[in-house]
Amino acid sequence: MLMKLSRRNFLQRSVYLSAATALPLPTLSYVLKASKVMTVGGSIKASHMGMSLIHEHVLVDFIGAEKISFDRWDRVQVVKKVLPYLKEIKGLGIKTLVECTPAYLGRDVHLLEELSEQSELNIITNTGYYGARNNQHLPQHAFTENAEQLADRWIKEFENGIDGSSIKPGFMKIGVDNGPLSDMHRKLVRAAAITHKATGLTIASHTGPALPAFEEMEILNEEGIALNAFIWVHAQHEEDSQKHVEAAQQGAWVSLDGLSESSVERYTEILKLLKANKLLDKVLLSHDAGWYRPGEVEGGQFRAYTDIFEFMLPAMRENGFSEKEIRTIFVSNPSKAFTISKRLV
Ligand SMILES: [Zn+2]
């Protein structure tokens, strides 16, 4: 896929392609084509991500960091339950699913590998810790170690693999609470910045409202990280859409990722506003659907990953979004957002 370079994108990219910027264009486009993302099946070209759902879950277990363990679910049972939903979206044209369940909340890379093989979908997993929900999903060492020590653990997962496997994270997933950032959550953001500098992994942060999002962005700025390395997760929880515009203007990815039939109208309005500001190349869309729930009968109620096809795409077409713009949001933006590259200012 030949990526189009607007002047602004070119300037952003030139920061992390500094060696390439002095070269003639054919070489530059070669470098962009060589962009990679990391899936549970290994590294692939970013241009092979195809149509992607960037925030979904296979399994989530809210039991808490103290009690969680892999024997709380049976992988065979989970595969049996989840595989039909993955095959369903594969049939609708999805090529890549980004699985956003962090460690201590049910991240199970062996399960993801099995599901990826059987569904023939690319699945991307993550490293990082989730401080939202009042720190109950943080392991004990997260309270005692400093940002460098936490980053060291996440960098090791990128270098060596997760949970004794050779499966590597394709991005970072951290999480903070709704209000002003606590010291604990500032530490997580700093650990993410350190990890980014070492690995080039994108930082997706479960955040919600603009207040903590802009605080996170400020910390990343201080740490010298370009904001196109940051995904503002659950940005739909911010009521004031001017904040979405502002964050996108600063380079951050705005992730509207709780899509269901009831939110189609609002998401469409936000997309229109971003489009009017020429910022459609900064937005990501997904369902936050799934997921198998250990402890419930047969994993409980599972929500399919299909509302985008059923409700959102028709609404976008009715509202004048072109096929090219739809491709920007579901194909081009995910491949750029999850490309592994050090983005520094
Ligand atoms: Zn989620």
Side-chain angles (χ1 to χ4, degrees), residues 76-259:
V76 175
Q77 283 296 321
V78 182
V79 168
K80 197 172 151 214
K81 172 116 182 187
V82 180
L83 188 58
Y85 294 100
L86 296 179
K87 285 186 169 166
E88 183 179 28
I89 50 171
K90 166 86 179 166
L92 289 167
I94 295 294
K95 295 245 178 333
T96 302
L97 178 137
V98 180
E99 217 277 347
C100 287
T101 307
Y104 302 98
L105 266 157
R107 180 191 64 172
D108 181 346
V109 296
H110 298 284
L111 173 65
L112 298 182
E113 184 182 38
E114 176 74 23
L115 284 168
S116 172
E117 278 172 18
Q118 290 206 36
S119 66
E120 298 179 346
L121 279 177
N122 300 314
I123 298 181
I124 299 181
T125 189
N126 64 83
T127 189
Y129 291 162
Y130 181 93
R133 297 167 60 93
N134 218 1
N135 300 330
Q136 58 180 309
H137 305 290
L138 291 176
Q140 208 46 51
H141 63 250
F143 296 93
T144 53
E145 293 182 355
N146 63 27
E148 285 75 15
Q149 289 168 308
L150 295 178
D152 202 44
R153 291 175 182 270
W154 304 348
I155 294 164
K156 283 208 174 88
E157 289 200 327
F158 180 72
E159 287 174 349
N160 306 328
I162 296 168
D163 297 336
S165 76
S166 59
I167 298 167
K168 294 173 178 172
F171 68 110
M172 270 177 268
K173 172 78 186 290
I174 60 171
V176 300
D177 280 321
N178 285 347
L181 293 179
S182 64
D183 286 346
M184 178 72 218
H185 295 173
R186 286 177 179 277
K187 182 167 79 178
L188 294 179
V189 179
R190 290 206 192 276
I194 296 164
T195 305
H196 178 81
K197 284 183 225 177
T199 63
L201 289 176
T202 299
I203 303 160
S205 182
H206 166 112
T207 299
L211 172 68
F214 280 79
E215 289 185 355
E216 291 177 284
M217 286 157 59
E218 202 178 305
I219 294 173
L220 294 176
N221 266 330
E222 282 167 22
E223 295 283 343
I225 310 291
L227 291 178
N228 60 349
F230 176 70
I231 302 175
W232 174 8
V233 174
H234 305 325
Q236 68 273 12
H237 294 314
E238 171 55 49
E239 295 293 323
D240 177 4
S241 284
Q242 281 306 327
K243 297 289 183 191
H244 300 133
V245 170
E246 244 174 80
Q249 279 169 340
Q250 290 187 36
W253 295 97
V254 176
S255 182
L256 308 173
D257 47 34
L259 188 100

Side-chain angles (χ1 to χ4, degrees), residues 55 57 234 288:
H55 189 123
H57 298 275
H234 305 325
D288 201 8

